[in-house]
Amino acid sequence: METIKAVFWKPDPQAQVRKCNRLIRENTRKLERDMFQLKNLESKTRQYIIQASKRAQRNPSQTKQAAAETRTFAREMVRIRKQSSRLATSKAQLHSVQMQVNEAFSVRKIEGSIRASTGIMKDVNTLIRLPELTGTMRELSQELMKAGIIEEMVGDSLPDDALVEGEDEEAEAEVDKVLGEILKTPEVPGTKIDAEPAAQEPAESEADLEDQEATLAQMRGRLEALKS
């Protein structure tokens, strides 16, 4: 019965293209929200690095601890920037998919038929493996398969950690580059080193360490939330 319906009542092409464009816009807005959050997170991480460096300049006894903190935050900065770069690439791919989909439906309107596009299939297959877009991209791929724009998706998706993570062993050169970029700002060099009472140093150091650990945990939590 369903086969007979499919023969006589084919999907409306205009309804199909509207739904495809709606799904693409939803994915684009999701990426833009995540990119905005990452931008804010990058700005905060920059401030944490500067603050740790200033603390070491004010109190030389905390230099070793501050150096460790700045490198830890710099590694988080590398992760944030890599994820931002991935999302920007994904947004460009989504725009490309939208253009190709609209073109395919336009050709169908003129020629009365539609041809499967390997280009769209390749982009969709890449985007569907991103944790940020998996759900809505699967729905979009189903609509594109119904329209005949792509063929059945190949089940060769990479594990999330291989696709999205792969960041646990950032080259130290990248960390050094981030620190060089941030700490060469006018705010940090030349800051006057003020002497502070020695009796306060241990308490301040312990409190600062706890604050930094809590901050780092929050940052990592936000990054994980953006990936889910």
Side-chain angles (χ1 to χ4, degrees):
M1 185 65 179
E2 293 298 324
T3 304
I4 296 174
K5 284 184 178 180
V7 172
F8 292 101
W9 290 282
K10 293 183 179 180
D12 176 21
Q14 292 301 316
Q16 284 182 308
V17 73
R18 283 195 299 270
K19 185 170 184 180
C20 289
N21 281 323
R22 176 178 60 78
L23 290 170
I24 291 172
R25 285 194 299 270
E26 287 179 7
N27 282 302
T28 300
R29 286 194 293 269
K30 173 68 167 62
L31 288 177
E32 288 174 343
R33 286 194 299 270
D34 289 350
M35 290 167 68
F36 179 76
Q37 291 181 48
L38 285 170
K39 185 177 180 180
N40 288 338
L41 198 55
E42 180 177 347
S43 178
K44 289 180 180 179
T45 306
R46 175 184 292 270
Q47 290 304 313
Y48 293 143
I49 292 172
I50 292 174
Q51 288 168 10
S53 179
K54 282 185 174 181
R55 190 171 67 254
Q57 291 180 0
R58 289 195 305 269
N59 191 343
S61 66
Q62 296 186 11
T63 298
K64 186 176 180 180
Q65 176 190 328
E69 290 174 2
T70 56
R71 293 197 73 81
T72 300
F73 284 125
R75 290 189 184 96
E76 292 302 315
M77 178 77 84
V78 171
R79 291 188 178 96
I80 292 167
R81 288 181 173 179
K82 284 186 176 181
Q83 191 169 351
S84 295
S85 177
R86 263 196 308 273
L87 296 187
T89 300
S90 299
K91 183 180 175 182
Q93 285 179 312
L94 269 175
H95 182 64
S96 174
V97 167
Q98 186 172 32
M99 291 178 65
Q100 293 180 75
V101 167
N102 288 330
E103 182 181 355
F105 275 104
S106 297
V107 170
R108 178 181 187 176
K109 188 175 181 180
I110 296 171
E111 298 182 357
S113 62
I114 200 164
R115 293 186 296 273
S117 169
T118 55
I120 297 178
M121 182 180 294
K122 182 180 178 181
D123 285 339
V124 171
N125 201 36
T126 299
L127 292 165
I128 204 170
R129 293 181 294 172
L130 290 174
E132 296 90 348
L133 304 179
T134 298
T136 47
M137 284 306 299
R138 286 193 186 280
E139 188 177 356
L140 175 62
S141 67
Q142 291 171 359
E143 289 302 315
L144 295 175
M145 281 189 285
K146 289 178 186 177
I149 294 177
I150 64 173
E151 297 174 352
E152 187 172 355
M153 299 300 294
V154 180
D156 61 348
S157 60
L158 297 176
D160 288 349
D161 56 351
L163 180 68
V164 178
E165 294 291 339
E167 301 163 339
D168 293 334
E169 299 179 358
E170 289 89 4
E172 288 301 303
E174 291 186 72
V175 175
D176 291 335
K177 183 178 178 181
V178 167
L179 289 174
E181 169 198 329
I182 295 173
L183 297 182
K184 72 180 181 181
T185 56
E187 297 178 78
V188 179
T191 301
K192 185 179 179 181
I193 298 176
D194 299 321
E196 296 186 5
Q200 295 181 7
E201 290 175 8
E204 288 179 356
S205 176
E206 184 177 350
D208 287 339
L209 184 59
E210 291 177 356
D211 289 344
Q212 297 294 351
E213 288 177 349
T215 299
L216 202 56
Q218 287 180 348
M219 288 170 55
R220 287 172 176 162
R222 289 174 185 172
L223 273 173
E224 291 303 317
L226 287 172
K227 294 173 185 176
S228 62

